[in-house]
Amino acid sequence: MQLNGFHDRVALVTGGARGIGRAIAERLRDLGARVAVGDLRAPQIDGVLGLELDVTSEPGVEAAFARVESELGPPSILVLNAGIFVIEPFEETTLESWRRTIDVNLTGAFLCARRALPAMREAGYGRIVAIGSSAGKTGGAKAVAAYGASKAGVMALAKAIASEYAPHGITSNALAPSLIDTDMISSMPDMADKVPVGRLGTVDDVADTVAFLCSAHAGYITGEVVDVNGGFLID
Ligand code: NDP
């Protein structure tokens, strides 16, 4: 199926310098959207506006959105992808480390969504996709309590936005991927054997799903958490 609904749309992808976010940004660009990507270091991606953005900084979020608005227009597609993954036993998790994970993975998504929604509401159209995780359902593999809690939070955030903004033409969904082959899981070797489909996920598996949810074809899907996990967690 040729996905439609990207012409004249502006998209912002957070944490898109590499990995899943980069693949999403390239896919949205190839589908015809005008795409900006924010990351800690401004990404350089062909045909994409690269911005320096720390999603945990309220003024930083404001500055990045202001630049997207002046160079491309207000985003009607927002992909909340920036995230960090810290493996540490629960009793060794310091308050600082806990807060950092919650700040990046959850509060960063809140700040970006809150900044994006007024223009979407005014336009009567918007697509938000938050990248959660199967860890947000299960608590994750051992020793990722902060990560699991942050991902449960961001998936609930996507649902909360969905119910509040559905009357305004805005859909809000989350993904619950697991074991996608990026730098993030390089510390966990030999995981492919644990996936029923017999391989790790690819960044394109995730980008395909995000593209569909951001397309014109997904206007009746909101408040959903979509598993992208090769059968790793069937619930
Ligand atoms: P990567 O670590 O490859 O990419 C994450 C990106 O987020 C990096 O470019 C990183 O920048 C950026 N980032 C980190 N902190 C911030 C911040 N404060 N502000 C802006 N950008 C930031 O991870 P993936 O591509 O694998 O993951 C992308 C998303 O998918 C994450 O939310 C992750 O939790 C989620 N996910 C991934 C899974 C997997 O198996 N890979 C499974 C389930 C969910 P820098 O490089 O400078 O640190």
Side-chain angles (χ1 to χ4, degrees), residues 1-199:
M1 177 167 77
Q2 171 64 43
L3 291 179
N4 297 315
F6 297 94
H7 185 64
D8 279 343
R9 298 277 177 222
V10 174
L12 173 61
V13 182
T14 68
R18 60 191 169 115
I20 291 169
R22 186 180 180 113
I24 293 168
E26 290 174 342
R27 180 63 53 85
L28 298 178
R29 174 202 64 194
D30 294 347
L31 285 164
R34 297 197 298 277
V35 180
V37 170
D39 207 301
L40 292 175
R41 283 171 298 278
Q44 300 204 324
I45 305 173
D46 277 352
V48 166
L49 175 64
L51 307 163
E52 193 179 306
L53 168 64
D54 178 347
V55 294
T56 68
S57 158
E58 192 172 16
V61 168
E62 174 54 40
F65 270 83
R67 201 166 148 219
V68 177
E69 285 163 352
S70 80
E71 297 200 25
L72 303 180
S76 56
I77 297 172
L78 176 65
V79 183
L80 302 164
N81 168 80
I84 56 172
F85 177 66
V86 180
I87 300 177
E88 55 192 354
F90 189 66
E91 290 178 33
E92 290 167 26
T93 302
T94 63
L95 180 57
E96 188 188 10
S97 171
W98 169 270
R99 282 189 172 141
R100 182 71 194 153
T101 296
I102 300 291
D103 269 2
V104 177
N105 295 1
L106 179 55
T107 310
F110 157 71
L111 289 173
C112 291
R114 193 185 58 175
R115 180 58 179 77
L117 277 161
M120 291 183 186
R121 183 168 35 76
E122 214 163 284
Y125 182 90
R127 293 277 189 267
I128 293 181
V129 179
I131 309 299
S133 170
S134 58
K137 295 181 169 189
T138 64
K142 268 192 228 153
V144 292
Y147 182 77
S150 71
K151 290 299 183 177
V154 83
M155 296 191 297
L157 174 70
K159 292 182 182 184
I161 292 169
S163 52
E164 197 169 337
Y165 287 87
H168 302 289
I170 297 166
T171 68
S172 174
N173 293 288
L175 263 51
S178 62
L179 299 175
I180 309 299
D181 193 6
T182 69
D183 297 340
M184 186 172 271
I185 63 155
S186 55
S187 60
M188 305 187 334
D190 304 326
M191 294 301 288
D193 297 348
K194 301 195 167 25
V195 184
V197 303
R199 65 171 176 86

